[in-house]
Amino acid sequence: LPSPVLLKDMKLMDVKLGQLPSWLAMRDFTPGGIAGAFRRGYQRYYNKYIDVKKGGLGGISMVLAGYVVLSYIWSYSHI
């Protein structure tokens, strides 16, 4: 039998709705923790879409689409 995973080591998608408040309480919301989360997210994105043997336009097009949406939101304050 696989050993049970501790709540603090679970991914967000594996956490049940009743466990969500205690899971969030275990997260690191310091500036260093938030920076580490962004760093890990960037590394996952880079390894999945950019640093591949046979890549396509998927990763780059997602970055460009995000940039277009953000620049549109920043340009129009009425949104």
Side-chain angles (χ1 to χ4, degrees), residues 42 45 49-50 57-70:
Y42 172 76
Y45 172 80
Y49 294 108
I50 306 299
L57 293 176
I60 301 296
S61 62
M62 280 191 274
V63 171
L64 291 176
Y67 173 73
V68 167
V69 169
L70 280 177

Side-chain angles (χ1 to χ4, degrees), residues 27-45:
R27 300 295 99 195
D28 184 12
F29 288 107
T30 62
I34 293 171
F38 276 106
R39 194 174 309 115
R40 287 188 305 274
Y42 172 76
Q43 286 298 324
R44 286 182 61 199
Y45 172 80

Side-chain angles (χ1 to χ4, degrees), residues 13-78:
M13 296 301 293
D14 298 333
V15 175
K16 304 230 183 306
L17 194 57
Q19 299 171 324
L20 189 60
S22 57
W23 182 84
L24 283 172
M26 294 181 194
R27 300 295 99 195
D28 184 12
F29 288 107
T30 62
I34 293 171
F38 276 106
R39 194 174 309 115
R40 287 188 305 274
Y42 172 76
Q43 286 298 324
R44 286 182 61 199
Y45 172 80
Y46 182 82
N47 290 333
K48 186 172 182 177
Y49 294 108
I50 306 299
D51 190 27
V52 292
K53 288 183 179 178
K54 189 174 182 181
L57 293 176
I60 301 296
S61 62
M62 280 191 274
V63 171
L64 291 176
Y67 173 73
V68 167
V69 169
L70 280 177
S71 63
Y72 182 80
I73 291 171
W74 287 333
S75 297
Y76 296 98
S77 59
H78 65 276

